[in-house]
């Protein structure tokens, strides 16, 4: 049995310990906001937070997150803003993504938003070099210029 | 809480209550209208794509897929502007995949540009296809949505609906229609101070026949077009709620992983699935003509079990083909024949024989995969003699027909559920069927929904590729040092007529294509033939300029005397880039300009060479003349996107063949530009007022040549084969700047 929390909900699942967290989320829990991109941690589309840290779920066996607190894109706003009735429905990163019209096809953006959120948690004032080093997510549409602009808007704010 | 799987059920697209204007029973059938359009080029296609509800909300039905190009927003803007709708009340929906919503404007648009595009031709070649299928079009490709569907269809639909609403209001008030005007979803009669909301008029208006030639606005009358509007598809894309094809989900769903013959065209010979069948969750192992699939209750379980399946594929004559063989074939075919005429002007032979100098060069670009972020996938649910389909596709109607044909159903019994696309770039055009066929045949064996997913490796190795092309050039100078002839022989097939043509005033031109087929399946890739040909022509014209001892920018301008729009984009880009001004040490600028899909684009890349001998692109300045910008922010997005897509390909992209099969498997060996390699991009939109140009593709072609032309100035090395990663630019001699 695998035991962990996803977006504040406790789960106890009968799945193989080596099943990647990505497929537990998508195929067992129906949490499809986390995306399958490459299966080998090369693209970052599957990024979730495990105990607050960016983790590529496609190569993370579920046994590695035993007892952990997992946040997916669906639960990010609640994790960041809390569950009070008047809590904003979007995080400031998500709002910046709308303000700067960052996503195109959007498929990589769940992972991108999770990675950027973690980056800003650890480094509230990242330089361009920090951004380059920390964000290796692939976006085939080419949203990266706007990702940088949106992050800069959060840094200077 | 213990949970197996529960979540939302598969959703169903339903057109809710309200009125679809223009669907009066007396309307000629859409089939007939569209057929007439197909039969007579240039004929006006008239229908409405608008629904107005009693609460005054407007829904625009967009017959195109949303893959991040913002089409649901920009087409809604075009209809809403002509309708004089209150933009706050307007939403867009993807048009259902039914005959009624076939998009004849595409045929009209493409036919007027260059005849039917190659990706539509297979449907014409299939003589057994019903005439109705010829126009079963909801294709999103050819940078066509705004300039064809929007400009021909959506604006007319909005304008026609507006006139119908005015007619109803005038009738109700007993006043002449000319005394009424419209604003913010209301009809007003100033003289009497009366007004009615569109929602109050829609029911009566729907009884009218839409006018054939409604008056369209002049640009100065636009209230919505030309403004940067937020894209409607973005909010669901920041919180995980956007539904892509791969997100179709139900409690009883099964998942299929597939192994297709690695050598294209090989058939499956035998399968030993004994080790896979006992695995947890595995339901069945399915043998198809060219593949074997494992179906399980979870994709990972299916994929793990598939690893245990032993499959033998037949040997083919291509089992030993490598990229080296393909290049050798191209070279020998180019050497053996003069090919077919693409363009002939003047007398190239004589000009060459009288030349004072001749410059020659041979270029090559490799096969490329599309590699959209969402791997190919398709969910099909056969039930009750029908099928429901969820798949990210650039043509829902095309896929409906294909699923029906492969699944043995009438196409009216196939229900396509519109979803967002996680990238397309040409991979998800109709005729790139493999995923659709596999998923349909697999799902047909079950009564529950089955989602078939290509792994990234399947996606990369079972694509329909951007063709590899070899291109040989010669150019001559006359005794005065002017360019007298341009000769080009390249390997075909031609997918985009005219892509190898040049805008430069060279009196003698001989451009010919030598078809050289291989076993590698090919298809359209963002910007189609322009992606190869612009690298060739804009690199070689640069070589010619340097050989003439001329500045490549001035040289181009002089040869573009008859192309003022080309000159303009070059001048605007040069000014924006600060071309000719001092640059940091070790930096240089390269230029390229190209017209494609009705837009003209100049790009100037500022480049240095990094410690690994690779180009580092610091800044790209782009000027684009797309006629007019409908949603300027979307224009900029598409330009950024096009440049980075082209840059990824130029720097890293290559699909190579060994033993008949694709070598590359995943992103490490088919890399993309990421944050660290992303240049600063400056965009200048030129509103020339000419016919609308496309946006999804035109920014892609020039970037490879722009970077290569800059690299030449820095290093003296002329890059004639892509990608850059195969070259070492570290030891080299800079060229004196002119």
């Amino acid at each position: 049995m695998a035991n962990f929390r996803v977006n504040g909900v406790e789960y106890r699942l009968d799945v193989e310990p080596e099943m990647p967290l990505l497929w537990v989320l998508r195929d067992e829990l129906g949490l499809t906001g986390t995306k399958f991109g490459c299966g080998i941690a090369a693209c970052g589309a599957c990024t979730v937070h495990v105990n607050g840290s960016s983790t590529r779920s496609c190569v993370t066996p579920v046994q590695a997150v035993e007892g952990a607190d997992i946040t997916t894109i669906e639960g990010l706003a609640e994790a960041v803003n809390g569950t009070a009735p008047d809590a904003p429905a979007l995080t400031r990163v998500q709002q910046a993504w709308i303000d700067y019209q960052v996503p195109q096809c959007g498929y990589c953006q769940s992972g991108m938003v999770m990675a950027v959120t973690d980056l800003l948690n650890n480094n509230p004032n990242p330089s361009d070099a920090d951004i380059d080093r920390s964000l290796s997510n692939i976006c085939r549409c080419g949203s990266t210029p706007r990702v940088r602009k949106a992050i800069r808007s959060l840094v200077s704010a | 809480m213990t949970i197996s799987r529960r979540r939302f059920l598969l959703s169903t697209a339903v057109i809710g209550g309200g009125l679809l204007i223009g669907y009066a029973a007396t309307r000629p059938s859409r089939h007939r209208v569209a057929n007439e359009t197909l039969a007579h080029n240039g004929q006006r296609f008239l229908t409405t794509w608008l629904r107005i509800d009693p609460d005054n909300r407007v829904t625009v039905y967009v017959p195109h897929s949303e893959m991040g190009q913002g089409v649901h927003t920009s087409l809604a803007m075009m209809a809403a502007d002509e309708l004089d709708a209150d933009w706050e009340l307007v939403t867009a929906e993807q048009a259902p995949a039914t005959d009624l919503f076939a998009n004849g404007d595409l045929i009209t648009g493409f036919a007027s540009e260059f005849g039917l595009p190659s990706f539509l031709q297979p449907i014409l070649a299939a003589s057994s296809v019903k005439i109705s299928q010829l126009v079963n079009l909801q294709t999103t490709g050819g940078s066509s949505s705004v300039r064809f569907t929007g400009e021909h269809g959506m604006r007319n639909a909005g304008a026609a609906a507006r006139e119908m609403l005015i007619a109803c209001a005038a009738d109700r008030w007993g006043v002449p229609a000319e005394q009424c005007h419209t604003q913010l979803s209301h009809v007003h009669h100033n003289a009497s101070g009366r007004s009615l909301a569109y929602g109050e008029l829609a029911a009566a208006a729907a009884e009218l026949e839409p006018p054939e030639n409604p008056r369209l606005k002049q640009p100065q009358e636009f209230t919505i077009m030309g403004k940067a509007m937020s894209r409607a598809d973005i909010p669901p894309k920041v919180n995980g709620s956007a539904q892509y094809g791969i997100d179709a989900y139900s409690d009883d769903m099964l998942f299929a992983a597939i192994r297709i013959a690695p050598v294209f065209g090989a058939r499956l010979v035998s399968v030993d699935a004994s080790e896979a069948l006992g695995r947890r969750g595995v339901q069945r192992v399915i043998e198809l003509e060219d593949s074997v699939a494992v179906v399980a209750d979870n994709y990972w379980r299916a994929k793990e079990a598939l690893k245990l399946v032993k499959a033998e594929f037949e040997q083919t004559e291509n089992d030993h083909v490598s990229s080296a063989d393909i290049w050798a074939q191209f070279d020998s075919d180019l050497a053996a024949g003069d090919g077919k005429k693409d363009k002939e002007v003047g007398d190239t032979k004589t000009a060459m024989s009288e030349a004072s100098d001749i410059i020659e060069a041979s270029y090559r670009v490799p096969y490329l995969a599309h590699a959209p972020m969402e791997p190919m996938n398709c969910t099909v649910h056969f039930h009750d003699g029908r099928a429901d389909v969820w798949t990210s596709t650039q043509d829902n109607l095309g896929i409906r027909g294909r699923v029906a044909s492969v699944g043995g159903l009438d196409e009216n019994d196939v229900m396509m559920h519109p979803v967002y696309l996680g990238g397309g770039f040409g991979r998800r055009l109709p005729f790139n069927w493999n995923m659709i066929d596999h998923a349909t045949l697999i799902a047909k064996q079950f009564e529950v929904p089955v989602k078939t997913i290509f792994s990234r490796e399947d996606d990369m190795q079972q694509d329909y590729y951007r063709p590899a092309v070899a291109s040989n050039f010669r150019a001559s100078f006359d005794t005065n040092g002017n360019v007298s002839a341009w000769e080009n022989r390249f390997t075909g097939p031609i997918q985009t007529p005219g892509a190898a043509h040049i805008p430069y005033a060279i009196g003698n031109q001989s451009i010919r294509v030598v078809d050289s087929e291989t076993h590698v399946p090919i298809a359209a890739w963002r910007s189609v033939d322009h992606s190869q040909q612009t690298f060739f022509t804009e690199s070689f014209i640069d070589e010619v300029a340097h050989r003439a001892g001329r500045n490549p920018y001035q040289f181009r301008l002089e040869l573009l005397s008859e192309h003022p729009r080309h000159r303009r984009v070059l001048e605007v880009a040069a000014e924006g880039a600060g071309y000719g001004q001092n640059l940091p040490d070790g930096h240089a600028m390269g230029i390229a300009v190209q017209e494609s899909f009705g837009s003209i684009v100049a790009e100037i890349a500022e480049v240095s060479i990094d410690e690994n001998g690779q180009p580092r692109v610091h800044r790209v300045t782009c000027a684009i003349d797309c006629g007019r910008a409908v949603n300027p922010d979307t224009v900029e997005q598409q330009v950024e996107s096009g440049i980075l897509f082209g840059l990824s390909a130029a720097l890293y992209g290559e699909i190579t063949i060994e033993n008949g099969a694709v070598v590359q498997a995943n992103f490490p060996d088919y890399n993309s530009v990421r944050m660290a390699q992303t240049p600063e991009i400056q965009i200048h939109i030129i509103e020339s007022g000419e016919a609308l140009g496309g946006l999804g593709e035109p920014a892609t072609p020039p970037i490879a040549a722009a970077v290569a032309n800059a690299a030449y100035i820095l290093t003296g090395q002329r890059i004639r084969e892509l990608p850059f990663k195969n070259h070492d630019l570290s030891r080299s001699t800079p060229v004196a700047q002119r």
Side-chain angles (χ1 to χ4, degrees), chain B residues 380-424:
Chain B
V380 187
H381 183 199
F382 281 90
H383 61 96
D384 309 311
R386 307 175 38 80
D388 285 87
V389 181
W390 293 258
T391 191
S392 301
T393 170
Q394 291 173 242
D395 184 356
N396 266 306
L397 270 176
I399 300 305
R400 182 186 70 151
R402 186 65 175 191
V403 170
S405 142
V406 172
L409 295 173
D410 186 286
E411 59 187 45
N412 292 313
D413 292 327
V414 177
M415 175 75 174
M416 299 298 302
H417 297 261
V419 288
Y420 288 122
L421 279 63

Side-chain angles (χ1 to χ4, degrees), chain B residues 232-245:
Chain B
D233 58 310
I234 285 186
K237 290 177 175 176
V238 306
N239 65 7
S241 64
Q243 294 286 294
Y244 300 83

Side-chain angles (χ1 to χ4, degrees), chain B residues 52-388:
Chain B
I52 299 178
D53 293 352
D55 65 0
N56 220 14
R57 291 192 177 277
V58 176
T59 306
V60 181
Y61 287 88
V62 178
H64 285 289
S65 304
E66 181 60 79
M67 48 187 174
Q69 79 282 41
V71 66
H72 285 187
T73 303
S74 45
L75 290 203
M77 287 169 68
M78 300 177 89
D81 200 330
E82 293 289 352
L83 181 64
D84 267 340
D86 180 350
W87 181 242
E88 299 298 315
L89 300 175
V90 177
T91 53
E93 271 185 29
Q94 185 155 345
T98 62
D99 294 348
L100 193 62
F101 287 93
N103 179 14
D105 294 299
L106 274 182
I107 296 276
T108 313
F110 279 122
S112 66
E113 182 160 298
F114 40 49
L116 274 186
S118 59
F119 66 81
L120 296 180
Q121 281 164 1
I123 215 168
L124 292 175
S127 56
S128 61
V129 178
K130 283 187 301 179
I131 188 72
S132 65
Q133 285 176 314
L134 298 182
V135 292
N136 271 354
L137 281 167
Q138 292 183 342
T139 296
T140 306
S143 298
S144 61
S145 307
V146 166
R147 64 195 178 119
F148 297 159
T149 311
E151 195 73 345
H152 298 172
M154 292 296 151
R155 288 187 61 191
N156 273 306
R162 176 180 163 275
E163 290 187 6
M164 294 153 76
L165 292 158
I166 288 178
C168 284
D171 184 55
R172 201 168 291 181
W173 294 326
V175 302
E178 302 76 56
Q179 292 182 3
C180 300
H181 74 277
T182 51
Q183 195 179 13
L184 293 173
S185 291
H186 285 76
V187 183
H188 300 278
H189 183 244
N190 278 353
S192 62
R194 284 176 289 189
S195 67
L196 282 166
Y198 286 176
E200 300 173 81
L201 294 162
E207 300 298 318
L208 301 178
E209 191 73 4
E212 293 246 352
N213 292 298
R215 180 190 170 274
L216 297 180
K217 289 182 176 180
Q218 295 298 309
Q220 63 271 20
E221 298 173 84
F222 295 161
T223 57
I224 297 171
M225 286 188 270
K227 290 188 177 156
M229 294 295 188
S230 294
R231 274 171 39 210
D233 58 310
I234 285 186
K237 290 177 175 176
V238 306
N239 65 7
S241 64
Q243 294 286 294
Y244 300 83
I246 203 169
D247 299 330
Y249 188 81
S250 72
D251 275 353
D252 57 353
M253 172 173 276
L254 295 174
F255 302 81
I258 189 164
R259 188 191 309 158
I260 304 174
V263 179
F264 306 109
R267 289 158 182 270
L268 182 68
V269 174
S270 67
V271 169
D272 175 0
S274 49
E275 286 183 60
L277 280 168
R279 300 264 303 185
R280 178 173 171 185
V282 171
Q283 305 283 309
R284 211 178 294 177
V285 173
I286 292 176
E287 297 178 27
L288 300 173
E289 201 170 290
D290 67 348
S291 54
V292 58
V294 174
V295 180
D297 61 357
N298 171 299
Y299 177 69
W300 177 80
R301 288 187 183 124
K303 195 155 164 32
E304 289 298 299
L306 182 63
K307 291 178 185 168
L308 303 173
V309 173
K310 298 181 188 73
E312 190 191 338
F313 296 95
E314 70 174 0
Q315 296 188 333
T316 78
E317 58 184 9
N318 300 314
D319 285 2
H320 302 293
V321 172
S322 70
S323 284
D325 299 322
I326 291 172
W327 293 126
Q329 174 192 314
F330 285 179
D331 287 344
S332 72
D333 285 353
L334 283 170
D338 210 23
K340 294 179 296 191
K341 170 187 157 183
D342 182 11
K343 184 179 182 183
E344 292 279 357
V345 178
D347 182 353
T348 302
K349 262 196 189 126
T350 303
M352 290 279 179
S353 70
E354 294 170 353
S356 64
D357 186 22
I358 290 178
I359 174 173
E360 295 185 44
S362 295
Y363 283 80
R364 280 177 181 177
V365 290
Y367 293 105
L368 292 176
H370 299 84
M373 285 309 300
E374 179 190 6
M376 296 302 288
N377 65 87
C378 179
T379 298
V380 187
H381 183 199
F382 281 90
H383 61 96
D384 309 311
R386 307 175 38 80
D388 285 87

Side-chain angles (χ1 to χ4, degrees), chain A residues 36-44 46 56 58-59, chain B residues 456-457 665-669:
Chain A
F36 167 50
C38 67
I40 58 169
C43 78
C46 67
R56 296 198 169 173
C58 72
V59 294
Chain B
R456 177 57 62 190
E457 291 79 6
N666 207 319
F667 286 125
D669 43 2

Side-chain angles (χ1 to χ4, degrees), chain B residues 438-471:
Chain B
H438 291 125
T440 303
L441 292 169
I442 293 166
K444 198 163 194 296
Q445 307 203 22
F446 297 88
E447 290 173 348
V448 296
V450 182
K451 185 193 307 186
T452 303
I453 303 176
F454 276 5
S455 67
R456 177 57 62 190
E457 291 79 6
D458 300 329
D459 189 80
M460 202 153 284
Q461 300 185 334
Q462 300 294 336
D463 198 350
Y464 299 74
Y465 301 87
R466 194 286 299 268
V469 179
S471 185

